[in-house]
Each structure stands twice: as C-alpha cells, then as structure tokens.
Amino acid sequence: MDGVDVVLTDLDGVVYRGRNAVPYAVEALTRATSTARVGYITNNASRRPVDVAEHLEQYGLQVTADDVVTSSQAGARLLATLVPAGSTVLVIGGLGLTTIVEEAGFVVTDSADDHPAAVIQGFAPELGWEQLAEASFALANASVPWVATNMDWSIPVERGIAPGNGTLVAAVHQAVGRMPVVAGKPERPIFDAALARFAASSPLFIGDRLDTDIKGANDAGIPSVLVLTGIDQPKQVLAADQRSRPTYVLRDLRGLHEPYPVTVRSEDRDGTRRVTVGESTVSMRGHVVRAERVGPDDMDLLRAGATAIWDSGLAIYGLDVDPKLYGGE
C-alpha cells in the first residue's frame, strides 16, 4: 500500500463469496480507506451502481454509488466514442444497463425497427430469444457498432454456475458473423473508466482471476494483486502466461498491510538458478524445479517457485515441478 492512492478491487472472490464476506476482506479494505480511495470494479451489467453499493454496505463497508464502476458504465463510455451524443441505441439487457445508457444521454430502444445507431448488450436473467433476435436484426447492417459489456462465459449463482453474457453474445455472433467491442474485464475500457473516475496516479488492482482481473490490469499498466480467496489457486499461479502474471500474490487481504518479501535471485556455475523469498528457496536446473528449502510461510515458497518458472521462459507443461510448490505431496 506504500504510495498507492487508489485501490481498485474486484468483488466476487475478493470481497465476498456467495452471501458471505471473504474473511479479512472488509477489515482490510476499510483500513485501506485511511490512506487511499477504494473503488469497486465489476463486470456485472445487470445491477446499477447504487445496487452494488447497497450490497457491499451489507457486509459493513462504507460505499456509495460513486465508488462503483460497472461494465455498463464502461460500455456507455465506449458508446460515446462510436456514435454521436443523443443517438438511439438498442439495449439488450436489464435495468442496470438501460439506466446507465439513458444517463449517458442516449435514447434507448428495444426494437431494431427504430433503426438504432448502435447496439449494446449486457446480461440480464430475463433475456430471451426475442431480445437476441432484435440485436441480430439491427446488426445485419454492418455499419452499426456493437458493444458488449463483458464476455464472461459463466456466472456464479446460488444454485451453481450458469451461462454468462459471453454465451448470449456468442448466440448473436453466430447469427450476424461478427464480434462486438468489449467494455469489461479484461479489456481496457473498464480500467480506463476507473482510472478516470478516481483520478488515479498510483493505482493498485486486486482480483482473484488471472485471465480477467490480472491480465486486464497488466494490459492497462496497473500493478496487480492476485488474492487466493477466489477462483485461481497456486497451480494456476505457477502456470500463468506472461500477460497474466500478478505483481503480488497474497493469501488473503491482510497481506495488503504487511511487508511484501524481497525476491533474491542467484545462479551457480553449473546453470542451476535459485530464487529465495523469505525463508524459502526454489532451485531450477533445466526443466526440473525443486523446493530446496521450505520456510514457515507457504506463500513464500509459491512466490519463489513462480518467479523461478516465469524467469525461465519455459512452458509449465514441459517442466518437472515439485508438488510442494502448489500444496501437493
């Protein structure tokens, strides 16, 4: 947190899981507000910022709608670069999207017969074939821009994992033969919208997914934290490709306010490379990666192993990796 003026954080898997707050998250983010602005970033286009803020307040966080940046807002901001102000826009989505598009000064329609200047598509549980067909009819005109709030293939719900906006976008894609421009993570528009909203000069982004949160932050030039309270775990960290590697890896958000350990690299004459983090050392020679010294903090072993593998430039599937690095036996 040293020098950070804005903390941007994902929600599901970082702040909460299902109906429950992630342990230590509320306390850590509340503490962060003493030295930085905290902004909450979500790909969920079905809820208005005020709805997201009210949800977060239920966990004990002090949040206003202005602290929330949604993919709907990023999508409306993107629309403004594609069509003139006041244009008629076909909105395929729920209240969380139509409200934002209207607030951005566009005229909202739900019919392709109104000859919309653009189409914007976001998830809503009530969407069906008729709405997707309207999008397809409007997009038959190749000059009509198409914006998707996000391309999340799945969403977590109370009963399990359900299809997300990406699956609905794919249905329209199959009908019209082209793809939309995307506003949400991991694409830049939502990060650019957040940086502009909070006037960030030294931001930090927190997420639980390498493929959306970390990749998106890296592409936007924002230092990133992967917290292991959500989707991705040590195996995924070790296997992360170059664009999806976090700046920091934390067990939980208590680590925001703790010193981050220094990484020390060395190399023997025989080509064996060693990485030491804290009291843990990982060695790598050729394609063999081993835990040479295991300290009391398993996070340090993971950080050392990830650094050794990432520095090698070799693909994970071609390596013999010590299972201790990811909690195996």
Side-chain angles (χ1 to χ4, degrees):
M1 287 292 295
D2 288 350
V4 172
D5 64 344
V6 175
V7 175
L8 305 173
T9 180
D10 180 45
L11 300 182
D12 197 5
V14 178
V15 180
Y16 55 76
R17 287 193 301 260
R19 297 182 180 180
N20 301 315
V22 169
Y24 314 112
V26 171
E27 298 85 348
L29 292 171
T30 299
R31 181 178 173 184
T33 61
S34 65
T35 58
R37 179 80 182 269
V38 177
Y40 299 88
I41 315 301
T42 177
N43 266 4
N44 189 330
S46 65
R47 294 193 295 173
R48 300 171 300 171
V50 65
D51 300 325
V52 176
E54 289 175 356
H55 180 200
L56 293 172
E57 284 184 323
Q58 294 174 9
Y59 299 114
L61 290 163
Q62 294 185 350
V63 185
T64 69
D66 195 48
D67 297 321
V68 178
V69 178
T70 70
S71 61
S72 293
Q73 292 174 316
R77 196 168 183 262
L78 186 54
L79 273 178
T81 69
L82 300 173
V83 294
S87 295
T88 297
V89 175
L90 176 61
V91 177
I92 306 300
L95 184 63
L97 183 55
T98 56
T99 301
I100 295 300
V101 174
E102 287 175 336
E103 290 177 352
F106 296 103
V107 176
V108 169
T109 183
D110 60 4
S111 173
D113 291 340
D114 291 331
H115 305 290
V119 174
I120 186 168
Q121 182 175 353
F123 178 81
E126 65 271 16
L127 284 181
W129 179 89
E130 291 183 357
Q131 291 82 14
L132 300 180
E134 289 298 326
S136 300
F137 301 151
L139 293 169
N141 180 346
S143 67
V144 173
W146 180 20
V147 174
T149 58
N150 65 82
M151 285 294 291
D152 295 352
W153 291 105
S154 62
I155 55 172
V157 295
E158 288 296 324
R159 296 174 61 193
I161 302 299
N165 196 52
T167 62
L168 303 178
V169 169
V172 177
H173 157 69
Q174 291 295 326
V176 302
R178 60 182 169 115
M179 291 295 289
V181 291
V182 181
K185 299 176 293 181
E187 304 304 325
R188 282 204 59 155
I190 194 167
F191 293 95
D192 291 340
L195 294 177
R197 168 85 64 83
F198 303 119
S201 60
S202 183
L204 181 71
F205 186 85
I206 307 169
D208 71 309
R209 297 186 65 138
L210 294 166
D211 60 346
T212 53
D213 299 324
I214 305 306
K215 178 178 180 294
N218 288 344
D219 288 350
I222 303 173
S224 58
V225 171
L226 180 77
V227 61
L228 302 181
T229 54
I231 295 296
D232 284 323
Q233 296 300 309
K235 276 189 177 181
Q236 288 75 36
V237 173
L238 297 173
D241 64 47
Q242 189 168 6
R243 292 178 65 186
S244 304
R245 294 169 182 169
T247 313
Y248 308 102
V249 182
L250 302 180
R251 177 182 290 105
D252 56 58
L253 286 189
R254 286 178 296 181
L256 279 181
H257 306 287
E258 298 171 354
Y260 200 77
V262 174
T263 299
V264 178
R265 297 170 172 85
S266 63
E267 185 170 350
D268 292 346
R269 291 182 178 180
D270 64 1
T272 300
R273 294 183 297 107
R274 288 182 175 82
V275 177
T276 298
V277 178
E279 298 179 43
S280 294
T281 299
V282 172
S283 65
M284 183 170 183
R285 184 177 182 185
H287 71 288
V288 178
V289 185
R290 289 291 178 265
E292 194 168 273
R293 183 174 56 157
V294 179
D297 189 345
D298 57 353
M299 290 301 299
D300 287 343
L301 186 64
L302 173 62
R303 292 161 179 152
T307 300
I309 291 169
W310 298 347
D311 284 355
S312 75
L314 301 176
I316 188 74
Y317 53 77
L319 301 180
D320 177 1
V321 178
D322 191 332
K324 293 177 184 176
L325 301 187
Y326 50 85
E329 297 180 356

